[in-house]
Amino acid sequence: MIWLVWRQHRKQALFAVAGLLALAAYIIPTGLGMRSTYTDLGLPACVSSMGDGQFIPSSFTNACNETIRSFIGRYTAVANVSVLLIFLPLLVGIFWGAPLVAREVEHGTHRLVWTQGVSRRQWAMAKFGLVGAGSLIVAVVYGFGVSWWMAPLNRVGVTRFETFKFDVGGIAPVGYTVFALALGIAAGTIFRKVMPAMAAVLVVFIPVRVLVAGLARPRFATPVELAIPVDQPNPNLNAARGDWIQSMAVKSADGQTLMDNASTACNPDAADCGGMSGALNTTLYQPGDRFWWFQGIETGLYVVVAAALIWIALRGLRRIA
Amino acid sequence: MDAVLEADGLGKRYGNRWALRDCTFSLPEGQVAALVGPNGAGKSTLLHLAVGLLRPDDGSVRVLGQQPYDNVAVLPDLGFVAQDTPLYRDFTAAELVTMGGKLNRARWDASVARNRLAQLGIAPHQRVGTLSGGQRAQVALALALSKRPRLLLLDEPVASLDPLARHEFLQALMGSVAETGTTVLLSSHLLSDLERVCDHLVLLETAKVRLTGSVDDLLGTHRQLIGARHDGSAIPGVAAVIRESHTDRQSTLLVRVDGWVDETRWTSTEVGLEDLILGYLGDHRRQGSHAAWGVTA
């Protein structure tokens, strides 16, 4: 079976290797460049001056702030290219998953291969397993590649939680890729035709991703609330910790929202604080150290769904003749 | 002789429609059997049940005494050439032979395929997608024969071939069957081809077995009778009238006989396999759909 799977999918494997090499050819030079700029600008000292406390310490200089701004400004465009990698799992689902069973049925070759000496379950295990392993390697390599690449930006305060950065770094790509592949395989066993299976991947994968990223992910854990009375100086959260700020609001003492997406300060000389006495500047955020916890939840979610889809595919396979 | 393939009340349903129902027959070892029937009669369904691609909904099918569905133990004994002789078109013939070796560790004999393909002049390193239909069918047959199967099933292997390729294919098939004594079940529409090569018949019509038995027995018990116009009363020596046609003064009957027929009243002639099959298939009048088309009958 291993020989057959390799023979059938070697072209795809070659494409994957070529794709990863192209990615490496982009991220390794830019990543190294980013690192040398990081050192040249003296950012290590700046970053260590930020410390790891909840707030940016008073010792943090304006000069450092300016340097960090210019560093981020210089590499933002380069880093934004990583957005393209969001589509990689989708491609795996469409071009590896969907045809896996559907093309065999379309060409009738399932009747050839299932009447040799191996059961269709063995066939399915070998095909799903090896193509799955290949996809996994692609996902792990680019996920951790992107994590390595982005590390200098993350250290100076570009949070890993940012949408489009969370989605292409760490282990999350593994979840998306496994899900897309399983979705393609399952759609192929249900529709038994390549084109409808590909369309199904497209139509299901994108909404699921958008809904999970937009609605579920912010609720994986209860955010931490920071509340500072408006008549006190509003400290900045330490960007080096990579906190994910979800919302800000000015709230009255009894918890009512006075202003959304805003913070305010009152002149300490003004009587009654301009009518805002007792109000609080509130910030809801997910602490940066929850990153891997969030990645784990999201990946696990997709892996569980993928397992269910594979189970559906194995069931469906039994009915194909 | 033991039955290599045995169906007992076998049925398969797709939704509400029975693709095959109440199918009972057995195929003795060493026979070359024709599986005949109109389109949609259930031939492919029967073959898919026999090779274990489908699970029966009713009754049972046994290959060498075993249920074939989801049963790896039966696979080494089975050779199957599916309809349209599917092959991985981007593989070369040599790669397909290698594939056979990898998937059939038990009893694979690559030399069978190599010798056959060499004899046919098929290039080993040419993609099979670029071969002619006849050559592809030969490659598919060579792969099936390399398994050294005890039962070889072929689903309309010659349907899309030109007459020459068809002849060569059947010749190749018969040659190797004669050598190995493999039992064969071959479905086809081409009755004249079958008449030459088959010694057993399974005739399906609208999901049911209409007629089955050895060709010699079937031909021995059927006669065409021509005589004066017949009124439909029982004829001594005739078990059943399969098909009848009448003119004003004369009747032509296809009958199954079980005794001596009065040859002073009837001219009795033997029938060929093709006429016999057509006789059985033709006796059901088709239901018209004039109303649905909005035309008068």
Side-chain angles (χ1 to χ4, degrees), chain A residues 7 104 115-117 120, chain B residues 53 88 90 95 103-104 147:
Chain A
R7 173 60 189 84
E104 300 268 351
T115 52
Q116 303 296 318
R120 66 180 88 175
Chain B
L53 284 171
Y88 292 115
D90 58 329
E95 284 172 328
L103 299 182
N104 297 285
K147 287 181 79 178

Side-chain angles (χ1 to χ4, degrees), chain A residues 33-257:
Chain A
M34 214 189 296
R35 279 164 172 74
S36 68
T37 312
Y38 184 82
T39 332
D40 293 347
L41 290 175
L43 285 172
C46 282
V47 168
S48 67
S49 77
M50 285 162 94
D52 56 2
Q54 189 182 8
F55 304 112
I56 290 184
S58 53
S59 60
F60 183 67
T61 63
N62 224 355
C64 264
N65 196 17
E66 284 308 312
T67 319
I68 286 174
R69 267 171 196 276
S70 77
F71 178 72
I72 292 175
R74 182 164 164 190
Y75 284 102
T76 296
V78 174
N80 282 347
V81 172
S82 67
V83 168
L84 293 176
L85 295 173
I86 281 198
F87 296 105
L88 222 67
L90 187 60
L91 295 181
V92 167
I94 289 177
F95 292 107
W96 293 7
L100 199 86
V101 172
R103 178 162 297 147
E104 300 268 351
V105 178
E106 236 176 46
H107 292 187
T109 44
H110 63 298
R111 293 180 185 143
L112 172 70
V113 73
W114 293 348
T115 52
Q116 303 296 318
V118 296
S119 72
R120 66 180 88 175
R121 182 167 288 266
Q122 283 171 282
W123 175 89
M125 288 303 178
K127 290 274 276 190
F128 299 0
L130 291 172
V131 175
S135 314
L136 217 62
I137 291 170
V138 171
V140 167
V141 167
Y142 94 80
F144 284 98
V146 169
S147 289
W148 169 82
W149 190 40
M150 300 284 257
L153 285 168
N154 297 145
R155 256 174 273 154
V156 297
V158 176
T159 174
R160 294 178 292 180
F161 270 115
E162 207 175 287
T163 322
F164 301 136
K165 299 210 165 53
F166 183 93
D167 303 59
V168 294
I171 57 168
V174 169
Y176 308 144
T177 307
V178 170
F179 169 64
L181 184 72
L183 182 62
I185 292 172
T189 52
I190 291 165
F191 295 109
R192 304 181 189 182
K193 287 206 159 59
V194 177
M195 290 309 283
M198 285 178 162
V201 174
L202 203 64
V203 167
V204 175
F205 182 81
I206 293 177
V208 167
R209 282 276 283 112
V210 169
L211 287 177
V212 171
L215 295 178
R217 190 189 299 160
R219 294 174 175 80
F220 284 166
T222 314
V224 175
E225 189 182 46
L226 175 71
I228 308 282
V230 289
D231 53 5
Q232 284 175 25
N234 198 6
N236 284 318
L237 284 166
N238 190 345
R241 304 210 320 171
D243 297 332
W244 178 20
I245 295 167
Q246 293 185 322
S247 67
M248 285 163 60
V250 181
K251 289 185 180 174
S252 65
D254 56 5
Q256 274 187 315
T257 303

